[in-house]
Amino acid sequence: MRLSAADPLDGLADIDAANVVRCARTLLRRPLLRLGGPDGELLPLVYRHRVVLGELFTALLGYRLVVERKFARLYKAGPGEDSTRGVQELSPRGYAYVALTMAALTGTGRQVLLSRLVSDVRAAAIEAGMQVVDTIADRRALTAALRHLVSLGVLTETEGTVGSASSDAPAEALITIETDLLGQLLAGPVGDAQDAGHLVTLAARTAPRRVDFQVRRKIVETPVVLYADLAEDEREWLLRNQRRESYLLERCFGLYTETRLEGILAADPEEYLSDVMFPGTSTVARIGLLALPDLLSQDPPADDTEESQVDSAGRRPVTADRVREVCERLVADYPAAWSRQAAEDLDGIVTEVLALFVHMGLAVADGERWWLSPAAARWWPEPDGDPEREIAEPAPEPEVPGWSLFDEEGGA
């Protein structure tokens, strides 16, 4: 059965179409799906609909899907220079150790001792020209890499734990290697890459280049897509096909699109595909939300030109000092609403608020300024009332003594 470009699910029964959409959403969230892992119970359903799912991802996004009985692997495009799509627990050195560990595991058998694996990884690092020093920071980066591979199911802690690698005297552990999953991890064309930077570029590239693939990938994988950030041919294609694309994204992936003057936003009503919630319940998310009106409506400085206030995408500039000023006022206005950290580490809150804006696609860092996206106005909060500041209550008036039990009726 070939899928129609106008409606990839055309011809399927309603129950089958709903199951295909459920599986497609799961694979977008978890490109490496395995038995025993998160959402692994859906793997039999993915296997059942593997042909339709493979054609759907190929026709709409240009992604390749491999489905076996024990795992499913969706090969997405790499994030390119987008630093917001990484694993938060991994530092740059941690990512290097992930690559080195995979290289070391290639020549290893089914099982390996933790001490042997650590030794092989450090040997591979030295061979690659990395400086290896036995410090707590280096051990933590290696441990984070091993834990990430455990979370993916590539490594299994048969006896002991990889967490001991971060200690001065690590305890021994027996690690089992899932060779089938190990062979499915790498998605980029390693053999064609001249260096690490070139590999990042190649992994993010569509071959052959198709405008519809490029635009759909951006809408599905990123919170906000502004027309000004698209290439000219991509922008023209999206403007011509907005209505059809909105239908396809809702039909195949359960995403609802909002089209605005500056761009398009894809939202997941079930919040399953969202790795970061905004608005959220944390102190950082709530302060960031309440800060948006002041940040978006601030008057331009007198010494700046009009052109510097809004860029081609409709973004407005803001400085860290301005964000700190707004956050400081919010903390003072609502003292009981925040965690103790907000009052004790305001600079840290400012840093986290700006990082949240960048991660959500609501801001772009530019040196000492951040450019706020016009899409941020979508979450403009409307407070129920003015902040209630703490007001000292008046001291109670002294109570006038009443009739005493020792008083005689009619007076003394």
Side-chain angles (χ1 to χ4, degrees), residues 40-203:
E41 67 278 2
L42 283 183
L43 192 55
L45 194 61
V46 172
Y47 187 84
R48 175 184 175 186
H49 295 288
R50 63 190 182 279
V51 175
V52 176
L53 285 166
E55 293 187 356
L56 182 147
F57 280 115
T58 300
L60 294 185
L61 299 172
Y63 289 165
R64 181 167 64 95
L65 177 65
V66 175
V67 181
E68 302 290 346
R69 291 284 186 180
K70 295 183 177 180
F71 69 88
R73 175 69 162 105
L74 178 64
Y75 287 90
K76 296 184 178 183
E81 299 299 326
D82 185 359
S83 61
T84 66
R85 296 258 307 274
V87 179
Q88 295 183 357
E89 294 78 12
L90 291 177
S91 63
R93 193 168 185 86
Y95 271 107
Y97 273 132
V98 169
L100 292 168
T101 302
M102 292 171 59
L105 291 173
T106 303
T108 307
R110 178 70 174 171
Q111 291 184 322
V112 63
L113 292 175
L114 177 61
S115 58
R116 171 64 184 276
L117 179 58
V118 171
S119 177
D120 290 346
V121 171
R122 287 178 172 168
I126 294 174
E127 184 180 352
M130 285 180 56
Q131 182 180 4
V132 178
V133 290
D134 190 17
T135 62
I136 184 63
D138 187 79
R139 291 196 298 269
R140 285 176 176 172
L142 176 55
T143 301
L146 296 177
R147 283 175 172 164
H148 181 61
L149 292 174
V150 169
S151 70
L152 294 176
V154 175
L155 300 181
T156 301
E157 298 166 312
T158 304
E159 293 183 12
T161 173
V162 298
S164 63
S166 61
S167 59
D168 293 332
E172 192 60 275
L174 180 62
I175 308 300
T176 300
I177 305 163
E178 300 295 334
T179 54
D180 291 339
L181 293 182
L182 177 63
Q184 299 292 336
L185 280 189
L186 288 179
V190 179
D192 298 334
Q194 301 172 0
D195 51 39
H198 190 212
L199 177 59
V200 171
T201 301
L202 291 178

Side-chain angles (χ1 to χ4, degrees), residues 271-291:
E271 297 184 342
Y272 174 75
L273 295 177
S274 302
D275 55 345
V276 177
M277 301 301 172
F278 186 80
T281 58
S282 68
T283 291
V284 171
R286 288 183 292 131
I287 288 182
L289 177 67
L290 293 177

Side-chain angles (χ1 to χ4, degrees), residues 310-329:
V310 180
D311 68 2
S312 59
R315 301 185 181 97
R316 295 177 61 90
V318 65
T319 63
D321 289 340
R322 174 58 179 164
V323 177
R324 192 185 195 284
E325 176 186 338
V326 175
C327 292
E328 186 175 17
R329 179 181 57 77

Side-chain angles (χ1 to χ4, degrees), residues 178-396:
E178 300 295 334
T179 54
D180 291 339
L181 293 182
L182 177 63
Q184 299 292 336
L185 280 189
L186 288 179
V190 179
D192 298 334
Q194 301 172 0
D195 51 39
H198 190 212
L199 177 59
V200 171
T201 301
L202 291 178
R205 189 179 63 185
T206 305
R209 188 180 190 281
R210 284 181 47 173
V211 174
D212 56 340
F213 287 171
Q214 295 281 9
V215 177
R216 286 196 197 107
R217 287 176 177 180
K218 291 178 180 178
I219 296 176
V220 169
E221 301 287 356
T222 58
V224 178
V225 176
L226 301 178
Y227 296 131
D229 293 336
L230 297 175
E232 183 176 355
D233 56 343
E234 295 173 348
R235 182 168 56 253
E236 292 178 353
W237 182 88
L238 181 56
L239 289 171
R240 289 197 310 268
N241 298 281
Q242 279 180 353
R243 183 170 298 180
R244 187 192 67 172
E245 291 305 303
S246 295
Y247 169 79
L248 283 176
L249 294 177
E250 180 180 352
R251 170 80 163 149
C252 299
F253 303 116
L255 296 174
Y256 290 86
T257 59
E258 297 180 10
T259 303
R260 305 295 176 94
L261 179 64
E262 299 86 359
I264 187 169
L265 177 146
D268 178 17
E270 299 180 7
E271 297 184 342
Y272 174 75
L273 295 177
S274 302
D275 55 345
V276 177
M277 301 301 172
F278 186 80
T281 58
S282 68
T283 291
V284 171
R286 288 183 292 131
I287 288 182
L289 177 67
L290 293 177
L292 285 177
D294 285 340
L295 298 178
L296 291 172
S297 61
Q298 63 174 320
D299 295 330
D303 56 347
D304 280 3
T305 61
E306 180 66 22
E307 290 77 13
S308 67
Q309 294 310 303
V310 180
D311 68 2
S312 59
R315 301 185 181 97
R316 295 177 61 90
V318 65
T319 63
D321 289 340
R322 174 58 179 164
V323 177
R324 192 185 195 284
E325 176 186 338
V326 175
C327 292
E328 186 175 17
R329 179 181 57 77
L330 288 170
V331 170
D333 284 348
Y334 306 92
W338 321 117
S339 64
R340 182 178 301 178
Q341 177 191 7
E344 296 179 351
D345 185 17
L346 192 58
D347 290 335
I349 292 294
V350 171
T351 300
E352 293 185 46
V353 166
L354 288 170
L356 176 62
F357 287 165
V358 172
H359 192 86
M360 291 299 301
L362 302 180
V364 176
D366 180 21
E368 297 182 355
R369 294 192 298 182
W370 284 260
W371 291 86
L372 288 180
S373 169
R378 178 182 185 270
W379 289 278
W380 193 293
E382 296 182 1
D384 295 332
D386 295 331
E388 297 180 359
R389 295 177 173 83
E390 295 182 356
I391 300 176
E393 296 182 359

